[in-house]
Amino acid sequence: VNGIEIYSMKIDSKVTSRFAHNVITSRAVNRGNVSKEVFFDVDLPKTAFITNFSMTIDGVTYPGTIKEKEAAKKQYEKAVSRGQTAGLVKASGRKTEKFTVSVNIKAASKVTFELTYEELLKRHFGKYNMFIKVKPKQLVKDFEIEVNIFEPQGITELEAEGTFITNELQNVIKKTFSEKKGHISFKPTLDQQRTCATCSQSVLDGDFTVRYDVKRTTPDNLQIVNGYFVHFFAPTNLPKLPKNIIFVMDTSGSMSGRAIKQTKAALLKILDDIKEDDYFNFVLFDSEVSTWKETLIKATPENLDEARKFVQQIDAGGLTSLHGGLMRGIDILNAAHEGNLVPRRSASIIIMLTDGQPNVGVSNTQAIETDVKNAIGGKYPLYNLGFGPGVDYGFLEKMALENKGLARRIYPDSDAALQLQGFYDEVSNPMLTDVELNYPANEISDLTINNFKHFYDGSEIVVAGRFVDSNQNHLTVDVRGEGADDALSYTTQQDADQTAQAFQEQEYIFGEYIERLWAYLTIEQLLEKRIAATGEEKENLTAEALALSLKYKFVTPLTSMVVTKPEENDNKDGIADKPTEGIDMFTILMYLRSQVSLALCDLCKITCTSPLYQGQPTWYTSVDGDPHFIISVPQKKDAICFNINENPGTVLNLVNDPVTGITVNGELIGDKRANNDAKIQNSYFGKLGIANKHLDLKLTVTPEKITIQNGNEKTGFTWLDSVNMQQAGLTLIINRKKNLVLSMSNGPSFVVVLHQVWKKHPLHQDFLGLYTLEGDKLSEQTHGLLGQFFHPIDFTILEIHPGSDPKKPDATMIVKNNELIVTRGWQKDYRRDPKHGVDIPCWFVHDNGAGLIDGVHTDYIVSSLF
């Protein structure tokens, strides 16, 4: 691609006792006759830590060095201020982070990139999953994935699959396993990589997943190596515990539409899976809190039928009384235990789903955390599901971790219902409660977490530790837990000789794997504890996690890897950081929302800019199909644009704020007749409807007239009028034949611009443009085709390459955690030159904004203007 040939790419994974050590090596050569930039980008699992990186150019190696984040930042802050460094790791998908580094190399030069990362594979639904993202972006002469697995317990099943695997490629996956060893290789030839016999595009684009499980003749397995131990606990064939589950659901206005439909679909499917021994209830919160039943109810067939009817009639509207909803759910569960309404041997769970932030009743997040922690009192776990980008994920995660649960993001895509159901499936089969793995205190130091509220079927508990005496070679463990029928209690023993016997095949073992597993698990747990900690405790946890990160050379949220490059050819040094969920995940930048915030939607071929753009309104028009949106991203000094192609008469929701009650909808009109030369017919906004529910106000604007309805009073104007009308909470100004301004007290202002064409024009007719001033006065829950961009948006551009139009290159854009192919284009700015305009560059997102807008564009079609 572009003169750069990747001639070799190898992904080498070694897994020993669930701990994976992965090395990705890519070799490229500059086939051009001038210096070229070579990109190396790899998608890693979010659960992994990078441990090493190096670049070798013409025999000279440039290693990455891992340092304390602050030290790395200080060392390079001068370079940063001169624009000479690049952040190398960014969130790139639901499960992945993208590591990207580029270097300029001379003609005919070769470069080898090598990246190493490690992770502990987790067991889900009875299998360990290892996920490898495959995307070389060109045909590679020597491409290979090789996975070697060594499990002392023995391997019972091993499978590999890829989302890109065709019938022909299925036979290229070679898989063998016997006893303790498993091996997978995938080495397609150049021709097997092609999308078609004569194509130069690669079919290798997607996820390659390896799944396996181990033999379990005993409930657990204990391994001791060089002064460290790891204890795996996953008993099988236990009777399932009955569960008591409360679903606390956000039904505020921002959940309306697709989100509430998907939530209901997931709940109906979950109701099909609830067992008859289980107890359950629903708590709904918007401005108020309501419940299905006053107490927990047994899941009899009759009760489940009634619950289905209840779920089907759930709708969304109002504000977000998160504290009230959650506390009601906890109260119901506590009362059930105190009143012995549920079996003594059962597992209790609260699952809360929200898409926004608390704004009714107690809305201070610290106060909510305190109340919830005190009310739950460590008795059962709280699982928090954050739907979409509007949640305070840090708050949800902290509150869940404080209550022995976890937080999970639910992405607002077409599979959101499956994501919700998938999470429920993970926690739907508790087998034990109050599991404790006790080790002799005088023999063990630096033990990872060893008590767990629940053990779920198909999962695994992992504990690791360090011996006080590094020469100690034996260990006795007491295991306790509460099962469905009785208490579980037994003792397990192991010595180093037994482990050594199991590890006779030394070639499979990399380094001090148990020590590194212990360090990985310890750092992961210290970082989790740090989320909920404050003051001195947080400082101590940070210091401990940092010391281990540096000692074992892990890139964690506390460390950075500094990548130094050759000085010639304008190379920039880079810093690789570990993104933090809830901050970098959606690249939520903290903006100062000051002065005039504007979102402009010049629907004369619609354009929209983010509300964060400060300064005078920018007026754009488009040169392509319409309606046309442009989103200005000021911190990038750039813009994104997209089209919405729909038929005349379609009404689109542009702004919808359930909190302030403000909505803006627009109805499309077309040209006077179809343009036979155009594939896509032009459409414009010929009618706008602006409503404020709280003021009982409706403003209808067409190119001919303006109608304002306040309650039962209706007043009409034409564009020939000059008007300055003020009444309670409202100002309307009409500037004759030009524009109108609608201002609402404590709210935003809307400017509608009249675009008039020559009356005898054979094709076009008059249409309207819309600008929103002070969009920051709308709430965080604002949505709509335009309204969603009143929230901060950021994007990253990678791999600019020639497109189908030589004047308009294509590129890969990472935006809203999606990876899109975009095209560089221009829009016209008619401010200074109304006749000819000035070209303004933007990145064009294809397919009606797919991947940029939340959901799909048809989600924004509404039935009427009001």
Side-chain angles (χ1 to χ4, degrees), residues 54-84:
S54 67
M55 265 182 313
T56 303
I57 302 168
D58 294 333
V60 181
T61 297
Y62 300 86
T65 53
I66 295 174
K67 305 189 173 192
E68 181 183 358
K69 182 170 279 190
E70 288 310 309
K73 288 284 190 286
K74 279 175 188 165
Q75 180 182 343
Y76 280 85
E77 64 190 1
K78 289 181 183 171
V80 172
S81 67
R82 294 196 300 267
Q84 291 180 339

PDB file of all heavy atoms in Angstrom, residues 54-84:
ATOM      1  N   SER A  54       9.528  -2.866  20.268  1.00  0.00           N
ATOM      2  CA  SER A  54      10.765  -2.372  19.659  1.00  0.00           C
ATOM      3  C   SER A  54      10.571  -2.221  18.159  1.00  0.00           C
ATOM      4  O   SER A  54       9.697  -2.859  17.562  1.00  0.00           O
ATOM      5  CB  SER A  54      11.929  -3.320  19.945  1.00  0.00           C
ATOM      6  OG  SER A  54      11.712  -4.554  19.274  1.00  0.00           O
ATOM      7  N   MET A  55      11.387  -1.336  17.580  1.00  0.00           N
ATOM      8  CA  MET A  55      11.444  -1.131  16.136  1.00  0.00           C
ATOM      9  C   MET A  55      12.877  -1.364  15.707  1.00  0.00           C
ATOM     10  O   MET A  55      13.797  -0.825  16.327  1.00  0.00           O
ATOM     11  CB  MET A  55      11.126   0.335  15.805  1.00  0.00           C
ATOM     12  CG  MET A  55       9.719   0.605  15.468  1.00  0.00           C
ATOM     13  SD  MET A  55       9.463   2.343  15.048  1.00  0.00           S
ATOM     14  CE  MET A  55      10.295   3.244  16.301  1.00  0.00           C
ATOM     15  N   THR A  56      13.079  -2.146  14.670  1.00  0.00           N
ATOM     16  CA  THR A  56      14.430  -2.341  14.143  1.00  0.00           C
ATOM     17  C   THR A  56      14.443  -1.829  12.709  1.00  0.00           C
ATOM     18  O   THR A  56      13.683  -2.331  11.860  1.00  0.00           O
ATOM     19  CB  THR A  56      14.837  -3.826  14.201  1.00  0.00           C
ATOM     20  OG1 THR A  56      14.723  -4.268  15.557  1.00  0.00           O
ATOM     21  CG2 THR A  56      16.261  -4.020  13.720  1.00  0.00           C
ATOM     22  N   ILE A  57      15.252  -0.808  12.453  1.00  0.00           N
ATOM     23  CA  ILE A  57      15.322  -0.203  11.122  1.00  0.00           C
ATOM     24  C   ILE A  57      16.743  -0.389  10.601  1.00  0.00           C
ATOM     25  O   ILE A  57      17.709   0.102  11.199  1.00  0.00           O
ATOM     26  CB  ILE A  57      14.967   1.297  11.179  1.00  0.00           C
ATOM     27  CG1 ILE A  57      13.560   1.466  11.764  1.00  0.00           C
ATOM     28  CG2 ILE A  57      15.051   1.930   9.791  1.00  0.00           C
ATOM     29  CD1 ILE A  57      13.212   2.879  12.136  1.00  0.00           C
ATOM     30  N   ASP A  58      16.844  -1.127   9.500  1.00  0.00           N
ATOM     31  CA  ASP A  58      18.160  -1.390   8.884  1.00  0.00           C
ATOM     32  C   ASP A  58      19.173  -1.865   9.925  1.00  0.00           C
ATOM     33  O   ASP A  58      20.304  -1.370  10.002  1.00  0.00           O
ATOM     34  CB  ASP A  58      18.680  -0.139   8.151  1.00  0.00           C
ATOM     35  CG  ASP A  58      17.798   0.210   6.964  1.00  0.00           C
ATOM     36  OD1 ASP A  58      17.159  -0.708   6.417  1.00  0.00           O
ATOM     37  OD2 ASP A  58      17.738   1.389   6.594  1.00  0.00           O
ATOM     38  N   GLY A  59      18.741  -2.795  10.788  1.00  0.00           N
ATOM     39  CA  GLY A  59      19.665  -3.395  11.734  1.00  0.00           C
ATOM     40  C   GLY A  59      19.824  -2.663  13.046  1.00  0.00           C
ATOM     41  O   GLY A  59      20.427  -3.183  13.986  1.00  0.00           O
ATOM     42  N   VAL A  60      19.278  -1.438  13.155  1.00  0.00           N
ATOM     43  CA  VAL A  60      19.387  -0.676  14.409  1.00  0.00           C
ATOM     44  C   VAL A  60      18.064  -0.786  15.159  1.00  0.00           C
ATOM     45  O   VAL A  60      17.003  -0.493  14.603  1.00  0.00           O
ATOM     46  CB  VAL A  60      19.721   0.812  14.137  1.00  0.00           C
ATOM     47  CG1 VAL A  60      19.838   1.569  15.458  1.00  0.00           C
ATOM     48  CG2 VAL A  60      20.993   0.934  13.316  1.00  0.00           C
ATOM     49  N   THR A  61      18.122  -1.209  16.438  1.00  0.00           N
ATOM     50  CA  THR A  61      16.900  -1.409  17.227  1.00  0.00           C
ATOM     51  C   THR A  61      16.619  -0.196  18.106  1.00  0.00           C
ATOM     52  O   THR A  61      17.512   0.336  18.759  1.00  0.00           O
ATOM     53  CB  THR A  61      17.033  -2.670  18.098  1.00  0.00           C
ATOM     54  OG1 THR A  61      17.179  -3.794  17.225  1.00  0.00           O
ATOM     55  CG2 THR A  61      15.792  -2.884  18.960  1.00  0.00           C
ATOM     56  N   TYR A  62      15.357   0.223  18.095  1.00  0.00           N
ATOM     57  CA  TYR A  62      14.890   1.344  18.925  1.00  0.00           C
ATOM     58  C   TYR A  62      13.862   0.761  19.893  1.00  0.00           C
ATOM     59  O   TYR A  62      12.724   0.485  19.509  1.00  0.00           O
ATOM     60  CB  TYR A  62      14.250   2.438  18.063  1.00  0.00           C
ATOM     61  CG  TYR A  62      15.205   2.999  17.043  1.00  0.00           C
ATOM     62  CD1 TYR A  62      15.358   2.382  15.795  1.00  0.00           C
ATOM     63  CD2 TYR A  62      15.962   4.129  17.320  1.00  0.00           C
ATOM     64  CE1 TYR A  62      16.245   2.891  14.853  1.00  0.00           C
ATOM     65  CE2 TYR A  62      16.856   4.647  16.380  1.00  0.00           C
ATOM     66  CZ  TYR A  62      16.991   4.015  15.155  1.00  0.00           C
ATOM     67  OH  TYR A  62      17.877   4.520  14.241  1.00  0.00           O
ATOM     68  N   PRO A  63      14.241   0.529  21.168  1.00  0.00           N
ATOM     69  CA  PRO A  63      13.315  -0.124  22.099  1.00  0.00           C
ATOM     70  C   PRO A  63      12.371   0.891  22.761  1.00  0.00           C
ATOM     71  O   PRO A  63      12.686   2.071  22.874  1.00  0.00           O
ATOM     72  CB  PRO A  63      14.264  -0.732  23.142  1.00  0.00           C
ATOM     73  CG  PRO A  63      15.450   0.193  23.144  1.00  0.00           C
ATOM     74  CD  PRO A  63      15.562   0.784  21.762  1.00  0.00           C
ATOM     75  N   GLY A  64      11.232   0.384  23.209  1.00  0.00           N
ATOM     76  CA  GLY A  64      10.350   1.200  24.048  1.00  0.00           C
ATOM     77  C   GLY A  64      10.759   1.023  25.497  1.00  0.00           C
ATOM     78  O   GLY A  64      11.141  -0.067  25.902  1.00  0.00           O
ATOM     79  N   THR A  65      10.698   2.091  26.281  1.00  0.00           N
ATOM     80  CA  THR A  65      11.038   1.975  27.700  1.00  0.00           C
ATOM     81  C   THR A  65       9.828   2.356  28.534  1.00  0.00           C
ATOM     82  O   THR A  65       9.140   3.333  28.222  1.00  0.00           O
ATOM     83  CB  THR A  65      12.232   2.883  28.070  1.00  0.00           C
ATOM     84  OG1 THR A  65      11.937   4.206  27.639  1.00  0.00           O
ATOM     85  CG2 THR A  65      13.495   2.404  27.397  1.00  0.00           C
ATOM     86  N   ILE A  66       9.562   1.571  29.587  1.00  0.00           N
ATOM     87  CA  ILE A  66       8.386   1.791  30.426  1.00  0.00           C
ATOM     88  C   ILE A  66       8.787   2.616  31.642  1.00  0.00           C
ATOM     89  O   ILE A  66       9.723   2.268  32.354  1.00  0.00           O
ATOM     90  CB  ILE A  66       7.745   0.457  30.820  1.00  0.00           C
ATOM     91  CG1 ILE A  66       7.204  -0.229  29.557  1.00  0.00           C
ATOM     92  CG2 ILE A  66       6.625   0.651  31.838  1.00  0.00           C
ATOM     93  CD1 ILE A  66       6.661  -1.612  29.748  1.00  0.00           C
ATOM     94  N   LYS A  67       8.083   3.728  31.847  1.00  0.00           N
ATOM     95  CA  LYS A  67       8.412   4.648  32.935  1.00  0.00           C
ATOM     96  C   LYS A  67       7.129   5.026  33.660  1.00  0.00           C
ATOM     97  O   LYS A  67       6.030   4.830  33.141  1.00  0.00           O
ATOM     98  CB  LYS A  67       9.052   5.926  32.382  1.00  0.00           C
ATOM     99  CG  LYS A  67      10.264   5.668  31.519  1.00  0.00           C
ATOM    100  CD  LYS A  67      10.981   6.958  31.182  1.00  0.00           C
ATOM    101  CE  LYS A  67      12.298   6.631  30.464  1.00  0.00           C
ATOM    102  NZ  LYS A  67      13.159   7.782  30.373  1.00  0.00           N
ATOM    103  N   GLU A  68       7.308   5.636  34.841  1.00  0.00           N
ATOM    104  CA  GLU A  68       6.157   6.219  35.526  1.00  0.00           C
ATOM    105  C   GLU A  68       5.527   7.253  34.604  1.00  0.00           C
ATOM    106  O   GLU A  68       6.216   8.028  33.944  1.00  0.00           O
ATOM    107  CB  GLU A  68       6.601   6.873  36.835  1.00  0.00           C
ATOM    108  CG  GLU A  68       5.442   7.484  37.602  1.00  0.00           C
ATOM    109  CD  GLU A  68       5.883   8.200  38.862  1.00  0.00           C
ATOM    110  OE1 GLU A  68       7.095   8.192  39.177  1.00  0.00           O
ATOM    111  OE2 GLU A  68       5.013   8.780  39.517  1.00  0.00           O
ATOM    112  N   LYS A  69       4.203   7.264  34.568  1.00  0.00           N
ATOM    113  CA  LYS A  69       3.508   8.127  33.609  1.00  0.00           C
ATOM    114  C   LYS A  69       3.922   9.586  33.743  1.00  0.00           C
ATOM    115  O   LYS A  69       4.225  10.262  32.762  1.00  0.00           O
ATOM    116  CB  LYS A  69       1.998   7.987  33.785  1.00  0.00           C
ATOM    117  CG  LYS A  69       1.202   8.803  32.792  1.00  0.00           C
ATOM    118  CD  LYS A  69      -0.276   8.470  32.829  1.00  0.00           C
ATOM    119  CE  LYS A  69      -0.556   7.231  32.041  1.00  0.00           C
ATOM    120  NZ  LYS A  69      -1.974   6.983  31.834  1.00  0.00           N
ATOM    121  N   GLU A  70       3.972  10.080  34.958  1.00  0.00           N
ATOM    122  CA  GLU A  70       4.311  11.492  35.159  1.00  0.00           C
ATOM    123  C   GLU A  70       5.732  11.782  34.679  1.00  0.00           C
ATOM    124  O   GLU A  70       5.983  12.801  34.056  1.00  0.00           O
ATOM    125  CB  GLU A  70       4.162  11.874  36.640  1.00  0.00           C
ATOM    126  CG  GLU A  70       2.719  11.944  37.100  1.00  0.00           C
ATOM    127  CD  GLU A  70       1.857  12.795  36.178  1.00  0.00           C
ATOM    128  OE1 GLU A  70       2.237  13.940  35.886  1.00  0.00           O
ATOM    129  OE2 GLU A  70       0.804  12.310  35.721  1.00  0.00           O
ATOM    130  N   ALA A  71       6.663  10.856  34.972  1.00  0.00           N
ATOM    131  CA  ALA A  71       8.048  11.060  34.549  1.00  0.00           C
ATOM    132  C   ALA A  71       8.134  11.070  33.021  1.00  0.00           C
ATOM    133  O   ALA A  71       8.824  11.898  32.422  1.00  0.00           O
ATOM    134  CB  ALA A  71       8.937   9.960  35.121  1.00  0.00           C
ATOM    135  N   ALA A  72       7.406  10.153  32.401  1.00  0.00           N
ATOM    136  CA  ALA A  72       7.416  10.095  30.942  1.00  0.00           C
ATOM    137  C   ALA A  72       6.832  11.372  30.353  1.00  0.00           C
ATOM    138  O   ALA A  72       7.356  11.943  29.397  1.00  0.00           O
ATOM    139  CB  ALA A  72       6.611   8.885  30.467  1.00  0.00           C
ATOM    140  N   LYS A  73       5.736  11.847  30.959  1.00  0.00           N
ATOM    141  CA  LYS A  73       5.092  13.059  30.451  1.00  0.00           C
ATOM    142  C   LYS A  73       6.018  14.264  30.592  1.00  0.00           C
ATOM    143  O   LYS A  73       6.136  15.092  29.701  1.00  0.00           O
ATOM    144  CB  LYS A  73       3.782  13.323  31.219  1.00  0.00           C
ATOM    145  CG  LYS A  73       2.675  12.345  30.880  1.00  0.00           C
ATOM    146  CD  LYS A  73       2.043  12.653  29.533  1.00  0.00           C
ATOM    147  CE  LYS A  73       0.785  11.836  29.304  1.00  0.00           C
ATOM    148  NZ  LYS A  73       0.999  10.452  29.012  1.00  0.00           N
ATOM    149  N   LYS A  74       6.679  14.362  31.770  1.00  0.00           N
ATOM    150  CA  LYS A  74       7.573  15.509  31.981  1.00  0.00           C
ATOM    151  C   LYS A  74       8.730  15.469  30.993  1.00  0.00           C
ATOM    152  O   LYS A  74       9.117  16.471  30.423  1.00  0.00           O
ATOM    153  CB  LYS A  74       8.108  15.493  33.418  1.00  0.00           C
ATOM    154  CG  LYS A  74       7.121  16.060  34.425  1.00  0.00           C
ATOM    155  CD  LYS A  74       7.608  15.927  35.837  1.00  0.00           C
ATOM    156  CE  LYS A  74       6.483  16.337  36.798  1.00  0.00           C
ATOM    157  NZ  LYS A  74       6.753  15.897  38.158  1.00  0.00           N
ATOM    158  N   GLN A  75       9.275  14.267  30.811  1.00  0.00           N
ATOM    159  CA  GLN A  75      10.414  14.128  29.905  1.00  0.00           C
ATOM    160  C   GLN A  75      10.047  14.621  28.502  1.00  0.00           C
ATOM    161  O   GLN A  75      10.867  15.181  27.792  1.00  0.00           O
ATOM    162  CB  GLN A  75      10.839  12.664  29.853  1.00  0.00           C
ATOM    163  CG  GLN A  75      12.032  12.412  28.934  1.00  0.00           C
ATOM    164  CD  GLN A  75      12.367  10.929  28.882  1.00  0.00           C
ATOM    165  OE1 GLN A  75      11.940  10.163  29.736  1.00  0.00           O
ATOM    166  NE2 GLN A  75      13.130  10.533  27.886  1.00  0.00           N
ATOM    167  N   TYR A  76       8.792  14.399  28.138  1.00  0.00           N
ATOM    168  CA  TYR A  76       8.420  14.701  26.762  1.00  0.00           C
ATOM    169  C   TYR A  76       7.494  15.905  26.623  1.00  0.00           C
ATOM    170  O   TYR A  76       7.025  16.187  25.542  1.00  0.00           O
ATOM    171  CB  TYR A  76       7.783  13.456  26.115  1.00  0.00           C
ATOM    172  CG  TYR A  76       8.855  12.502  25.687  1.00  0.00           C
ATOM    173  CD1 TYR A  76       9.378  11.595  26.581  1.00  0.00           C
ATOM    174  CD2 TYR A  76       9.400  12.573  24.414  1.00  0.00           C
ATOM    175  CE1 TYR A  76      10.402  10.748  26.221  1.00  0.00           C
ATOM    176  CE2 TYR A  76      10.421  11.733  24.039  1.00  0.00           C
ATOM    177  CZ  TYR A  76      10.923  10.819  24.939  1.00  0.00           C
ATOM    178  OH  TYR A  76      11.939   9.997  24.573  1.00  0.00           O
ATOM    179  N   GLU A  77       7.236  16.629  27.733  1.00  0.00           N
ATOM    180  CA  GLU A  77       6.239  17.697  27.604  1.00  0.00           C
ATOM    181  C   GLU A  77       6.708  18.810  26.678  1.00  0.00           C
ATOM    182  O   GLU A  77       5.909  19.429  25.978  1.00  0.00           O
ATOM    183  CB  GLU A  77       5.813  18.236  28.973  1.00  0.00           C
ATOM    184  CG  GLU A  77       6.881  18.912  29.779  1.00  0.00           C
ATOM    185  CD  GLU A  77       6.402  19.169  31.210  1.00  0.00           C
ATOM    186  OE1 GLU A  77       5.262  18.797  31.554  1.00  0.00           O
ATOM    187  OE2 GLU A  77       7.189  19.741  31.965  1.00  0.00           O
ATOM    188  N   LYS A  78       8.026  19.045  26.626  1.00  0.00           N
ATOM    189  CA  LYS A  78       8.529  20.043  25.690  1.00  0.00           C
ATOM    190  C   LYS A  78       8.278  19.580  24.260  1.00  0.00           C
ATOM    191  O   LYS A  78       7.865  20.350  23.405  1.00  0.00           O
ATOM    192  CB  LYS A  78      10.018  20.292  25.916  1.00  0.00           C
ATOM    193  CG  LYS A  78      10.303  21.053  27.201  1.00  0.00           C
ATOM    194  CD  LYS A  78      11.780  21.295  27.386  1.00  0.00           C
ATOM    195  CE  LYS A  78      12.014  21.991  28.732  1.00  0.00           C
ATOM    196  NZ  LYS A  78      13.441  22.071  29.055  1.00  0.00           N
ATOM    197  N   ALA A  79       8.552  18.316  24.028  1.00  0.00           N
ATOM    198  CA  ALA A  79       8.307  17.775  22.688  1.00  0.00           C
ATOM    199  C   ALA A  79       6.820  17.817  22.356  1.00  0.00           C
ATOM    200  O   ALA A  79       6.431  18.132  21.230  1.00  0.00           O
ATOM    201  CB  ALA A  79       8.822  16.350  22.609  1.00  0.00           C
ATOM    202  N   VAL A  80       5.985  17.538  23.372  1.00  0.00           N
ATOM    203  CA  VAL A  80       4.528  17.597  23.155  1.00  0.00           C
ATOM    204  C   VAL A  80       4.124  19.001  22.743  1.00  0.00           C
ATOM    205  O   VAL A  80       3.346  19.207  21.810  1.00  0.00           O
ATOM    206  CB  VAL A  80       3.766  17.175  24.436  1.00  0.00           C
ATOM    207  CG1 VAL A  80       2.279  17.424  24.276  1.00  0.00           C
ATOM    208  CG2 VAL A  80       4.010  15.709  24.736  1.00  0.00           C
ATOM    209  N   SER A  81       4.657  19.996  23.440  1.00  0.00           N
ATOM    210  CA  SER A  81       4.267  21.382  23.147  1.00  0.00           C
ATOM    211  C   SER A  81       4.706  21.788  21.742  1.00  0.00           C
ATOM    212  O   SER A  81       4.138  22.676  21.139  1.00  0.00           O
ATOM    213  CB  SER A  81       4.860  22.338  24.193  1.00  0.00           C
ATOM    214  OG  SER A  81       6.269  22.372  24.058  1.00  0.00           O
ATOM    215  N   ARG A  82       5.730  21.123  21.219  1.00  0.00           N
ATOM    216  CA  ARG A  82       6.161  21.431  19.853  1.00  0.00           C
ATOM    217  C   ARG A  82       5.464  20.513  18.846  1.00  0.00           C
ATOM    218  O   ARG A  82       5.790  20.518  17.667  1.00  0.00           O
ATOM    219  CB  ARG A  82       7.680  21.230  19.727  1.00  0.00           C
ATOM    220  CG  ARG A  82       8.508  22.193  20.554  1.00  0.00           C
ATOM    221  CD  ARG A  82       9.953  22.194  20.077  1.00  0.00           C
ATOM    222  NE  ARG A  82      10.564  20.880  20.179  1.00  0.00           N
ATOM    223  CZ  ARG A  82      11.261  20.461  21.239  1.00  0.00           C
ATOM    224  NH1 ARG A  82      11.420  21.259  22.294  1.00  0.00           N
ATOM    225  NH2 ARG A  82      11.794  19.259  21.264  1.00  0.00           N
ATOM    226  N   GLY A  83       4.537  19.702  19.344  1.00  0.00           N
ATOM    227  CA  GLY A  83       3.826  18.792  18.442  1.00  0.00           C
ATOM    228  C   GLY A  83       4.679  17.636  17.980  1.00  0.00           C
ATOM    229  O   GLY A  83       4.496  17.101  16.898  1.00  0.00           O
ATOM    230  N   GLN A  84       5.665  17.226  18.795  1.00  0.00           N
ATOM    231  CA  GLN A  84       6.612  16.213  18.342  1.00  0.00           C
ATOM    232  C   GLN A  84       6.381  14.836  18.951  1.00  0.00           C
ATOM    233  O   GLN A  84       7.246  13.985  18.893  1.00  0.00           O
ATOM    234  CB  GLN A  84       8.043  16.666  18.655  1.00  0.00           C
ATOM    235  CG  GLN A  84       8.472  17.850  17.800  1.00  0.00           C
ATOM    236  CD  GLN A  84       9.876  18.285  18.117  1.00  0.00           C
ATOM    237  OE1 GLN A  84      10.397  17.998  19.176  1.00  0.00           O
ATOM    238  NE2 GLN A  84      10.483  19.006  17.192  1.00  0.00           N
TER     239      GLN A  84
END
